Structures are given as C-alpha cells and as structure tokens.
Amino acid sequence: MADYQYILVEREERVGIITLNRPKELNALNNQLVSELADALESFDRDSTIGCIVVTGAGEKAFAAGADIKEMADKSPIEMMEGNFRSWERIKRTRTPVIAAVGGYALGGGCELAMHFDMIVASENARFGQPEIALGIIPGAGGTQRLARVLGKYRTMEMVLTGAHISAQEMAQHGLVNRVVPKGEHLKAALELAHKVAEQAPVAARLAKESVLAAFETSLEEGLEIERKNFFLLFSTEDMREGTRAFVEKRKAQFQGR
Ligand code: CAA
C-alpha cells in the first residue's frame, strides 16, 4: 500500500478501511489529507477484490472537525479553488460503496465528507453540524445541497444559519444516519455492514449505487432510465447467471465480480 502522511489504509478481507489520522487536530481536513483520501479511494476502486470501503476518524473525539481552518485562514479565492476542491470531486466519483463510521464531531467539511458516502454509522456521542457561519463563510463541499435533500429546507436552514451541532440520534430520526451504536462501537458496526455489502456481486453493488445516486441528480424519468439500463446491463454478467442458478440449486452464490 502507498505511503500516506495523514491517513491510514488497511483491509479486512474484501473491505477497505481508511482512517483520517490527525487526531490531535480532530482530523481537520487539510489539502494533503483530502488529496490522500481521494488517492486511497481511487486505489480501492481499482482493486476488484474490494467490495466496500469504510472511512473513519482516528481518536475518540472526531470523525473530522472540518476543513483545516489554520490552513484556510489566509487563502485567496483562487488558492481555494486550486486547492483541495478537485480532490472532493474525485472522492464523489468513487464507484465502490463507502460507509462513514462516525464517532465524535463531524463538523463542516467533516459532515460534508460523511454525506459524500453512501451510508453513515454513528456512535451515540457523534455530533453533526455546519458551523461555517461562525467563521464568516458557508459550507463549500456540498453541505447546503446534500443536507437540504435529506433534511428538507427548514432544518437545513437552521443548521446552516446557526451552526448548531445535532446529535446522532436526531440525525437518525431525520434519515441522515443509518444506525446509532454505543460510544466507541461505530467502526465495528460499520465493518459488519461493510462485510454484508462486500459479499454481494460487486458489479451489481456498483450499479446499484450509481442508480440510487441518480435519484438525487436527475428527474424521475431520467433516473428510471438509468436504473433500467443498469438492470439490463447486469444480465451480461457471469455473476447474474451464478446468482440466479444458485437460487434454483438452493446454494450460496459464489460471485466473481464479472
Ligand atoms: N481546523 C484546524 N484545527 C482544528 C479544527 C479545524 N477545523 N478543529 C479543531 N482543531 C484543532 C484546534 O485548533 C486544537 O488545536 P490546538 O490544540 O493546537 O489548539 C485541537 O484541534 C483541539 O480542538 P479544541 O481545543 O478546539 O477542542 P474542543 O473539544 O474544545 O472543541 C470543536 C472541539 C467544537 C470541534 C472545536 O475544535 C471546533 O469548533 N472546531 C472547528 C469546527 C469548524 O468550524 N469546522 C468548520 C471548518 S470550515 C469548513 O469545513 C469549510 C468547508 O465546508 C469545506
């Protein structure tokens, strides 16, 4: 595996694990960390033996407390544009399903990072928020858009205009968190979920992800068309023949990822 300064990368069978690793700075997302994260996600994406990825934060206090404010403080608009924003685009393009395992703070870019992923497992001490307003800015990595699509206009307005921290339990009630687990068990619970995803036929999992994401970016008619094309495309895979045959023969399917 490549040498990274601000993240740890490992694997557990078919699951890739990436840990944001600046615990003293509450895993604040500096340019290099975000770029390393994008590299690691791309590298897992290219590995056909990886069926799901879990991203978590080192230490008990935070998933990530947002963009690195100290790095950002003196930047010009052009420097910001040329900085890590390309890396965020690369993170968004990950085709393998990704689960955020959130313990402690997921604030600003940390909340936005969790929302780039496909499921969120949080410990009961997790706190979500978009506190950028207190710095005289607004969320810049999708916070206003992704929160509004899940929480609706009014709750999003309150979060973005006040910077309030919201508990994992409340986020789960509003549909932004898949499950809340006891403090310290978020990684274990996320890994359990990830192993279930990684057992599935990999091409089907990727096309399922692409199809669900289309619901947020297209009209219903276009989304239905994308789903239908992906559904038909899967009839070209050996895994589809294996999956249907295994059902008929009453045995567990052995998927090959093709
Ligand atoms: N950037 C840089 N350093 C950060 C940081 C951040 N986002 N968040 C925390 N740190 C650093 C602190 O400066 C501190 O370092 P020192 O020990 O060197 O002083 C260390 O991490 C520990 O933090 P605190 O002492 O503040 O810990 P706390 O428990 O008292 O408070 C907290 C925790 C409420 C999360 C508080 O640290 C905080 O409010 N952090 C900033 C959160 C924030 O505003 N995030 C949004 C950033 S902007 C953004 O993300 C833009 C975008 O959309 C991409």
Side-chain angles (χ1 to χ4, degrees):
M1 301 228 183
D3 244 0
Y4 295 112
Q5 187 176 352
Y6 293 122
I7 60 171
L8 301 173
V9 178
E10 52 198 316
R11 63 180 296 164
E12 191 178 277
E13 297 162 26
R14 292 179 48 75
V15 174
I17 307 168
I18 302 173
T19 305
L20 314 176
N21 192 29
R22 300 181 73 204
K24 272 199 237 133
E25 293 84 6
L26 306 188
N27 304 319
L29 305 168
N30 62 16
N31 276 341
Q32 190 175 331
L33 186 155
V34 181
S35 159
E36 288 181 4
L37 174 61
D39 288 345
L41 288 168
E42 280 176 355
S43 156
F44 277 142
D45 232 11
R46 282 192 299 269
D47 182 342
S48 62
T49 67
I50 291 290
C52 191
I53 302 165
V54 172
V55 177
T56 194
E60 284 192 350
K61 276 190 78 176
F63 174 71
D68 188 321
I69 299 169
K70 293 165 194 164
E71 183 182 69
M72 214 168 59
D74 297 320
K75 287 266 187 340
S76 71
I78 300 295
E79 285 168 337
M80 286 302 290
M81 196 175 80
E82 297 296 326
N84 70 20
F85 275 79
R86 261 190 283 260
S87 307
W88 287 94
E89 272 304 307
R90 289 163 61 211
I91 290 168
K92 174 174 171 258
R93 281 198 295 270
T94 309
R95 301 181 65 215
T96 310
V98 188
I99 301 174
V102 178
Y105 294 111
L107 300 178
C111 184
E112 292 169 302
L113 183 63
M115 290 193 289
H116 270 67
F117 300 142
D118 308 306
M119 289 184 264
I120 302 179
V121 173
S123 69
E124 59 196 4
N125 68 324
R127 293 286 176 275
F128 296 82
Q130 298 291 163
E132 289 88 343
I133 195 90
L135 303 170
I137 51 172
I138 65 168
T144 61
Q145 303 305 296
R146 290 198 174 88
L147 270 182
R149 279 166 168 74
V150 181
L151 304 185
K153 171 180 162 184
Y154 301 96
R155 288 191 186 95
T156 302
M157 283 290 185
E158 189 172 336
M159 280 183 73
V160 170
L161 291 174
T162 68
H165 296 180
I166 310 294
S167 71
Q169 290 81 354
E170 194 175 332
M171 282 307 205
Q173 280 161 16
H174 301 321
L176 195 118
V177 164
N178 289 73
R179 60 194 63 165
V180 184
V181 297
K183 186 176 173 202
E185 293 193 12
H186 51 286
L187 180 58
K188 183 169 159 262
L191 284 170
E192 269 166 28
L193 187 57
H195 282 291
K196 275 190 205 141
V197 174
E199 275 173 23
Q200 314 303 325
V203 183
R206 287 177 167 207
L207 294 184
K209 168 170 174 167
E210 182 185 295
S211 303
V212 174
L213 287 179
F216 297 94
E217 295 185 3
T218 63
S219 66
L220 177 61
E221 206 42 59
E222 288 163 323
L224 290 171
E225 192 58 31
I226 290 168
E227 179 194 86
R228 219 171 287 131
K229 293 253 167 70
N230 282 339
F231 175 71
F232 295 143
L233 183 59
L234 286 163
F235 283 70
S236 67
T237 62
E238 288 174 28
D239 281 349
M240 176 270 169
R241 303 294 157 206
E242 166 62 9
T244 47
R245 223 177 276 134
F247 176 81
V248 174
E249 292 166 7
K250 298 187 189 303
R251 61 177 172 81
K252 193 170 166 23
Q254 299 294 323
F255 295 123
Q256 304 297 326
R258 50 180 187 266

